[in-house]
Amino acid sequence: MTPLALILTVAIPMIPPKRYIPEIHDVHPRMMPALERLLGALPDEASRLAPLLVVPDWAGDSALDCHPEFVEMLRQLQGEKVLHGLTHSLGPDWWNRFAYGTENHAEFASLSEDQATARLTTAHKLHTEAFGLPRWFCAPRWQQNAIVKTVLGRLGFEGFMLGSRYEKLSGARAAIPAICFDDGGHAWRHVAGRLQRKAMIRRWLANNTPFRLTLHPADLEDPKTWQQLTELVATLKGEGWQPLAFDDALFA
């Protein structure tokens, strides 16, 4: 089979226009008030089906098994529970402090096989105890090396999320880009991020481009960024955009 023929055998769903998938990222026990605000910012039909990207041990000190009430609350929400790293951080380093104003959130970008296996096995166990077996994985910052995909296969995952697409371990892909409002800790990054998103939003709305609307607790920290997000949600509702369920995107 030629490389081109192999590519053509991989299913690439065609998502209808004017559809968006809401995603709630960085879900962990210490962000409870923020979770309520993020869900409340979405139309009811979107908040009901939004995938929840759960960090099973945020910062290494908020393991799900120590917060049963939070776990029970998440169980009542119908959105897909996606495994979102283990701690969401590799700790502080000078480069991330300089470039982003944060710790190193690219938790799975450059791990060895042993490191990736250890982190994913622990995360998988915590998630399974809380919600059952996870089907999908999303690396923090959407950054993962090739080793991570191999380990995900060993652990029985169905697929993983990247910034531009959902990808199954079988090879099928749903190409749908994500818009992110989490600009890090520097004021200049918030200004630059809003300008970049303004152009992106204008283009996507004009072309009826399906996309993923990703919400993070950090979105609430800058009032102008939060305003941009809520204005986009209002525009989507006013112009007849419809939320799309996570699984529907994979089989569109």
mmCIF file of all heavy atoms in Angstrom, residues 20-54:
data_model
loop_
_atom_site.group_PDB
_atom_site.id
_atom_site.type_symbol
_atom_site.label_atom_id
_atom_site.label_comp_id
_atom_site.label_asym_id
_atom_site.label_seq_id
_atom_site.Cartn_x
_atom_site.Cartn_y
_atom_site.Cartn_z
ATOM 1 N N TYR A 20 -19.388 24.189 17.359
ATOM 2 C CA TYR A 20 -18.241 24.322 18.258
ATOM 3 C C TYR A 20 -18.361 23.297 19.373
ATOM 4 O O TYR A 20 -19.462 22.909 19.756
ATOM 5 C CB TYR A 20 -18.142 25.738 18.831
ATOM 6 C CG TYR A 20 -19.233 26.112 19.813
ATOM 7 C CD1 TYR A 20 -19.034 26.012 21.195
ATOM 8 C CD2 TYR A 20 -20.476 26.563 19.368
ATOM 9 C CE1 TYR A 20 -20.033 26.350 22.093
ATOM 10 C CE2 TYR A 20 -21.475 26.917 20.265
ATOM 11 C CZ TYR A 20 -21.249 26.809 21.623
ATOM 12 O OH TYR A 20 -22.239 27.137 22.518
ATOM 13 N N ILE A 21 -17.213 22.852 19.853
ATOM 14 C CA ILE A 21 -17.176 21.919 20.978
ATOM 15 C C ILE A 21 -16.647 22.675 22.189
ATOM 16 O O ILE A 21 -15.509 23.158 22.170
ATOM 17 C CB ILE A 21 -16.285 20.714 20.691
ATOM 18 C CG1 ILE A 21 -16.784 19.952 19.466
ATOM 19 C CG2 ILE A 21 -16.234 19.771 21.894
ATOM 20 C CD1 ILE A 21 -15.903 18.794 19.071
ATOM 21 N N PRO A 22 -17.439 22.820 23.242
ATOM 22 C CA PRO A 22 -16.933 23.449 24.462
ATOM 23 C C PRO A 22 -16.106 22.447 25.262
ATOM 24 O O PRO A 22 -16.470 21.270 25.369
ATOM 25 C CB PRO A 22 -18.213 23.834 25.206
ATOM 26 C CG PRO A 22 -19.210 22.802 24.768
ATOM 27 C CD PRO A 22 -18.847 22.419 23.353
ATOM 28 N N GLU A 23 -14.986 22.890 25.801
ATOM 29 C CA GLU A 23 -14.147 22.052 26.669
ATOM 30 C C GLU A 23 -13.792 22.845 27.918
ATOM 31 O O GLU A 23 -13.432 24.020 27.825
ATOM 32 C CB GLU A 23 -12.844 21.648 25.966
ATOM 33 C CG GLU A 23 -13.003 20.805 24.716
ATOM 34 C CD GLU A 23 -11.676 20.546 24.016
ATOM 35 O OE1 GLU A 23 -10.615 20.973 24.536
ATOM 36 O OE2 GLU A 23 -11.694 19.927 22.946
ATOM 37 N N ILE A 24 -13.876 22.214 29.065
ATOM 38 C CA ILE A 24 -13.447 22.834 30.320
ATOM 39 C C ILE A 24 -12.132 22.179 30.743
ATOM 40 O O ILE A 24 -12.103 20.978 31.043
ATOM 41 C CB ILE A 24 -14.499 22.667 31.439
ATOM 42 C CG1 ILE A 24 -15.878 23.123 30.963
ATOM 43 C CG2 ILE A 24 -14.053 23.432 32.688
ATOM 44 C CD1 ILE A 24 -15.993 24.587 30.664
ATOM 45 N N HIS A 25 -11.066 22.941 30.770
ATOM 46 C CA HIS A 25 -9.731 22.415 31.068
ATOM 47 C C HIS A 25 -9.346 22.686 32.524
ATOM 48 O O HIS A 25 -9.938 23.530 33.201
ATOM 49 C CB HIS A 25 -8.701 23.075 30.158
ATOM 50 C CG HIS A 25 -8.749 22.610 28.744
ATOM 51 N ND1 HIS A 25 -7.629 22.173 28.062
ATOM 52 C CD2 HIS A 25 -9.776 22.499 27.865
ATOM 53 C CE1 HIS A 25 -7.956 21.831 26.835
ATOM 54 N NE2 HIS A 25 -9.262 22.029 26.687
ATOM 55 N N ASP A 26 -8.312 21.956 32.968
ATOM 56 C CA ASP A 26 -7.690 22.173 34.283
ATOM 57 C C ASP A 26 -8.692 21.996 35.421
ATOM 58 O O ASP A 26 -8.714 22.774 36.387
ATOM 59 C CB ASP A 26 -7.057 23.564 34.365
ATOM 60 C CG ASP A 26 -5.975 23.780 33.325
ATOM 61 O OD1 ASP A 26 -5.627 22.811 32.625
ATOM 62 O OD2 ASP A 26 -5.478 24.911 33.212
ATOM 63 N N VAL A 27 -9.513 20.961 35.321
ATOM 64 C CA VAL A 27 -10.517 20.690 36.357
ATOM 65 C C VAL A 27 -9.840 19.967 37.523
ATOM 66 O O VAL A 27 -9.245 18.901 37.333
ATOM 67 C CB VAL A 27 -11.668 19.848 35.783
ATOM 68 C CG1 VAL A 27 -12.671 19.491 36.875
ATOM 69 C CG2 VAL A 27 -12.355 20.594 34.644
ATOM 70 N N HIS A 28 -9.924 20.551 38.719
ATOM 71 C CA HIS A 28 -9.303 19.953 39.900
ATOM 72 C C HIS A 28 -10.004 20.490 41.144
ATOM 73 O O HIS A 28 -10.731 21.499 41.078
ATOM 74 C CB HIS A 28 -7.803 20.267 39.939
ATOM 75 C CG HIS A 28 -7.489 21.731 40.012
ATOM 76 N ND1 HIS A 28 -7.369 22.411 41.206
ATOM 77 C CD2 HIS A 28 -7.284 22.656 39.034
ATOM 78 C CE1 HIS A 28 -7.081 23.678 40.973
ATOM 79 N NE2 HIS A 28 -7.029 23.859 39.669
ATOM 80 N N PRO A 29 -9.829 19.853 42.291
ATOM 81 C CA PRO A 29 -10.625 20.206 43.472
ATOM 82 C C PRO A 29 -10.489 21.640 43.940
ATOM 83 O O PRO A 29 -11.433 22.194 44.501
ATOM 84 C CB PRO A 29 -10.111 19.224 44.540
ATOM 85 C CG PRO A 29 -9.634 18.042 43.772
ATOM 86 C CD PRO A 29 -9.039 18.615 42.514
ATOM 87 N N ARG A 30 -9.343 22.289 43.704
ATOM 88 C CA ARG A 30 -9.138 23.643 44.212
ATOM 89 C C ARG A 30 -9.748 24.724 43.333
ATOM 90 O O ARG A 30 -9.633 25.904 43.657
ATOM 91 C CB ARG A 30 -7.635 23.884 44.395
ATOM 92 C CG ARG A 30 -7.085 23.147 45.616
ATOM 93 C CD ARG A 30 -5.583 23.039 45.679
ATOM 94 N NE ARG A 30 -4.840 24.146 45.101
ATOM 95 C CZ ARG A 30 -3.536 24.075 44.813
ATOM 96 N NH1 ARG A 30 -2.877 22.949 45.042
ATOM 97 N NH2 ARG A 30 -2.908 25.109 44.293
ATOM 98 N N MET A 31 -10.402 24.329 42.225
ATOM 99 C CA MET A 31 -10.946 25.339 41.325
ATOM 100 C C MET A 31 -12.474 25.324 41.299
ATOM 101 O O MET A 31 -13.087 25.800 40.360
ATOM 102 C CB MET A 31 -10.403 25.144 39.906
ATOM 103 C CG MET A 31 -10.648 23.786 39.285
ATOM 104 S SD MET A 31 -12.241 23.567 38.456
ATOM 105 C CE MET A 31 -12.037 24.554 37.003
ATOM 106 N N MET A 32 -13.087 24.845 42.372
ATOM 107 C CA MET A 32 -14.528 24.671 42.369
ATOM 108 C C MET A 32 -15.318 25.935 42.019
ATOM 109 O O MET A 32 -16.182 25.900 41.140
ATOM 110 C CB MET A 32 -14.973 24.135 43.740
ATOM 111 C CG MET A 32 -16.454 23.823 43.824
ATOM 112 S SD MET A 32 -16.939 22.635 42.583
ATOM 113 C CE MET A 32 -18.638 23.106 42.294
ATOM 114 N N PRO A 33 -15.083 27.097 42.660
ATOM 115 C CA PRO A 33 -15.857 28.284 42.256
ATOM 116 C C PRO A 33 -15.645 28.639 40.791
ATOM 117 O O PRO A 33 -16.574 29.065 40.104
ATOM 118 C CB PRO A 33 -15.335 29.378 43.186
ATOM 119 C CG PRO A 33 -14.751 28.656 44.357
ATOM 120 C CD PRO A 33 -14.172 27.394 43.784
ATOM 121 N N ALA A 34 -14.421 28.464 40.295
ATOM 122 C CA ALA A 34 -14.130 28.765 38.898
ATOM 123 C C ALA A 34 -14.888 27.820 37.967
ATOM 124 O O ALA A 34 -15.381 28.236 36.908
ATOM 125 C CB ALA A 34 -12.632 28.671 38.631
ATOM 126 N N LEU A 35 -15.004 26.563 38.346
ATOM 127 C CA LEU A 35 -15.734 25.606 37.512
ATOM 128 C C LEU A 35 -17.182 26.032 37.341
ATOM 129 O O LEU A 35 -17.744 25.963 36.240
ATOM 130 C CB LEU A 35 -15.649 24.208 38.120
ATOM 131 C CG LEU A 35 -16.405 23.104 37.375
ATOM 132 C CD1 LEU A 35 -15.919 22.984 35.938
ATOM 133 C CD2 LEU A 35 -16.260 21.776 38.104
ATOM 134 N N GLU A 36 -17.790 26.491 38.409
ATOM 135 C CA GLU A 36 -19.179 26.941 38.320
ATOM 136 C C GLU A 36 -19.306 28.133 37.376
ATOM 137 O O GLU A 36 -20.255 28.218 36.582
ATOM 138 C CB GLU A 36 -19.684 27.308 39.713
ATOM 139 C CG GLU A 36 -19.799 26.108 40.653
ATOM 140 C CD GLU A 36 -20.182 26.511 42.062
ATOM 141 O OE1 GLU A 36 -20.062 27.715 42.383
ATOM 142 O OE2 GLU A 36 -20.593 25.633 42.843
ATOM 143 N N ARG A 37 -18.363 29.063 37.430
ATOM 144 C CA ARG A 37 -18.418 30.234 36.553
ATOM 145 C C ARG A 37 -18.168 29.855 35.104
ATOM 146 O O ARG A 37 -18.806 30.400 34.186
ATOM 147 C CB ARG A 37 -17.402 31.284 36.999
ATOM 148 C CG ARG A 37 -17.781 32.025 38.277
ATOM 149 C CD ARG A 37 -16.847 33.198 38.514
ATOM 150 N NE ARG A 37 -16.986 34.217 37.464
ATOM 151 C CZ ARG A 37 -16.157 35.263 37.342
ATOM 152 N NH1 ARG A 37 -15.129 35.406 38.180
ATOM 153 N NH2 ARG A 37 -16.334 36.151 36.380
ATOM 154 N N LEU A 38 -17.244 28.944 34.869
ATOM 155 C CA LEU A 38 -16.953 28.524 33.503
ATOM 156 C C LEU A 38 -18.153 27.829 32.877
ATOM 157 O O LEU A 38 -18.536 28.123 31.736
ATOM 158 C CB LEU A 38 -15.724 27.613 33.480
ATOM 159 C CG LEU A 38 -14.395 28.255 33.876
ATOM 160 C CD1 LEU A 38 -13.299 27.205 33.966
ATOM 161 C CD2 LEU A 38 -13.993 29.364 32.905
ATOM 162 N N LEU A 39 -18.744 26.910 33.606
ATOM 163 C CA LEU A 39 -19.932 26.225 33.094
ATOM 164 C C LEU A 39 -21.084 27.209 32.910
ATOM 165 O O LEU A 39 -21.841 27.128 31.937
ATOM 166 C CB LEU A 39 -20.343 25.097 34.035
ATOM 167 C CG LEU A 39 -19.425 23.864 34.054
ATOM 168 C CD1 LEU A 39 -19.804 22.937 35.203
ATOM 169 C CD2 LEU A 39 -19.494 23.117 32.722
ATOM 170 N N GLY A 40 -21.206 28.163 33.832
ATOM 171 C CA GLY A 40 -22.279 29.134 33.757
ATOM 172 C C GLY A 40 -22.142 30.108 32.604
ATOM 173 O O GLY A 40 -23.132 30.722 32.186
ATOM 174 N N ALA A 41 -20.925 30.264 32.084
ATOM 175 C CA ALA A 41 -20.712 31.170 30.961
ATOM 176 C C ALA A 41 -21.208 30.584 29.646
ATOM 177 O O ALA A 41 -21.378 31.312 28.666
ATOM 178 C CB ALA A 41 -19.228 31.507 30.837
ATOM 179 N N LEU A 42 -21.427 29.277 29.617
ATOM 180 C CA LEU A 42 -21.857 28.603 28.399
ATOM 181 C C LEU A 42 -23.378 28.501 28.348
ATOM 182 O O LEU A 42 -24.036 28.435 29.387
ATOM 183 C CB LEU A 42 -21.266 27.184 28.351
ATOM 184 C CG LEU A 42 -19.744 27.072 28.259
ATOM 185 C CD1 LEU A 42 -19.320 25.625 28.477
ATOM 186 C CD2 LEU A 42 -19.243 27.578 26.907
ATOM 187 N N PRO A 43 -23.950 28.459 27.146
ATOM 188 C CA PRO A 43 -25.373 28.134 27.049
ATOM 189 C C PRO A 43 -25.647 26.766 27.690
ATOM 190 O O PRO A 43 -24.762 25.906 27.742
ATOM 191 C CB PRO A 43 -25.621 28.092 25.535
ATOM 192 C CG PRO A 43 -24.517 28.901 24.931
ATOM 193 C CD PRO A 43 -23.330 28.703 25.837
ATOM 194 N N ASP A 44 -26.870 26.567 28.166
ATOM 195 C CA ASP A 44 -27.199 25.337 28.891
ATOM 196 C C ASP A 44 -26.860 24.093 28.088
ATOM 197 O O ASP A 44 -26.311 23.123 28.621
ATOM 198 C CB ASP A 44 -28.679 25.321 29.265
ATOM 199 C CG ASP A 44 -29.018 26.323 30.361
ATOM 200 O OD1 ASP A 44 -28.081 26.789 31.031
ATOM 201 O OD2 ASP A 44 -30.202 26.626 30.532
ATOM 202 N N GLU A 45 -27.186 24.099 26.790
ATOM 203 C CA GLU A 45 -26.958 22.905 25.984
ATOM 204 C C GLU A 45 -25.468 22.630 25.807
ATOM 205 O O GLU A 45 -25.051 21.479 25.642
ATOM 206 C CB GLU A 45 -27.643 23.021 24.618
ATOM 207 C CG GLU A 45 -27.132 24.140 23.719
ATOM 208 C CD GLU A 45 -27.831 25.469 23.938
ATOM 209 O OE1 GLU A 45 -28.389 25.693 25.025
ATOM 210 O OE2 GLU A 45 -27.811 26.297 23.000
ATOM 211 N N ALA A 46 -24.640 23.684 25.867
ATOM 212 C CA ALA A 46 -23.192 23.504 25.751
ATOM 213 C C ALA A 46 -22.583 23.028 27.066
ATOM 214 O O ALA A 46 -21.722 22.150 27.090
ATOM 215 C CB ALA A 46 -22.539 24.804 25.305
ATOM 216 N N SER A 47 -23.018 23.606 28.185
ATOM 217 C CA SER A 47 -22.455 23.211 29.480
ATOM 218 C C SER A 47 -22.791 21.770 29.815
ATOM 219 O O SER A 47 -22.013 21.082 30.477
ATOM 220 C CB SER A 47 -22.949 24.146 30.583
ATOM 221 O OG SER A 47 -24.345 24.052 30.751
ATOM 222 N N ARG A 48 -23.943 21.280 29.337
ATOM 223 C CA ARG A 48 -24.330 19.900 29.647
ATOM 224 C C ARG A 48 -23.418 18.884 28.982
ATOM 225 O O ARG A 48 -23.185 17.809 29.547
ATOM 226 C CB ARG A 48 -25.787 19.647 29.214
ATOM 227 C CG ARG A 48 -26.829 20.248 30.143
ATOM 228 C CD ARG A 48 -28.199 19.667 29.853
ATOM 229 N NE ARG A 48 -28.639 19.939 28.485
ATOM 230 C CZ ARG A 48 -29.346 21.015 28.141
ATOM 231 N NH1 ARG A 48 -29.677 21.914 29.051
ATOM 232 N NH2 ARG A 48 -29.720 21.200 26.881
ATOM 233 N N LEU A 49 -22.919 19.190 27.797
ATOM 234 C CA LEU A 49 -22.144 18.193 27.058
ATOM 235 C C LEU A 49 -20.647 18.482 27.025
ATOM 236 O O LEU A 49 -19.885 17.719 26.430
ATOM 237 C CB LEU A 49 -22.686 18.057 25.637
ATOM 238 C CG LEU A 49 -22.817 19.305 24.752
ATOM 239 C CD1 LEU A 49 -21.501 19.724 24.149
ATOM 240 C CD2 LEU A 49 -23.838 19.050 23.655
ATOM 241 N N ALA A 50 -20.190 19.552 27.681
ATOM 242 C CA ALA A 50 -18.779 19.931 27.617
ATOM 243 C C ALA A 50 -17.883 18.860 28.243
ATOM 244 O O ALA A 50 -18.085 18.485 29.402
ATOM 245 C CB ALA A 50 -18.559 21.262 28.328
ATOM 246 N N PRO A 51 -16.881 18.365 27.512
ATOM 247 C CA PRO A 51 -15.895 17.477 28.129
ATOM 248 C C PRO A 51 -15.167 18.190 29.271
ATOM 249 O O PRO A 51 -14.876 19.386 29.181
ATOM 250 C CB PRO A 51 -14.930 17.158 26.986
ATOM 251 C CG PRO A 51 -15.681 17.458 25.741
ATOM 252 C CD PRO A 51 -16.610 18.584 26.078
ATOM 253 N N LEU A 52 -14.880 17.463 30.321
ATOM 254 C CA LEU A 52 -14.160 17.994 31.481
ATOM 255 C C LEU A 52 -12.764 17.381 31.496
ATOM 256 O O LEU A 52 -12.617 16.168 31.624
ATOM 257 C CB LEU A 52 -14.909 17.655 32.767
ATOM 258 C CG LEU A 52 -16.363 18.141 32.838
ATOM 259 C CD1 LEU A 52 -17.054 17.544 34.061
ATOM 260 C CD2 LEU A 52 -16.435 19.654 32.861
ATOM 261 N N LEU A 53 -11.745 18.207 31.354
ATOM 262 C CA LEU A 53 -10.373 17.728 31.325
ATOM 263 C C LEU A 53 -9.829 17.781 32.750
ATOM 264 O O LEU A 53 -9.467 18.842 33.258
ATOM 265 C CB LEU A 53 -9.536 18.566 30.363
ATOM 266 C CG LEU A 53 -9.665 18.166 28.885
ATOM 267 C CD1 LEU A 53 -11.068 18.409 28.351
ATOM 268 C CD2 LEU A 53 -8.643 18.880 28.020
ATOM 269 N N VAL A 54 -9.794 16.613 33.382
ATOM 270 C CA VAL A 54 -9.549 16.512 34.814
ATOM 271 C C VAL A 54 -8.077 16.216 35.096
ATOM 272 O O VAL A 54 -7.497 15.292 34.527
ATOM 273 C CB VAL A 54 -10.431 15.410 35.436
ATOM 274 C CG1 VAL A 54 -10.208 15.337 36.941
ATOM 275 C CG2 VAL A 54 -11.905 15.653 35.110
#
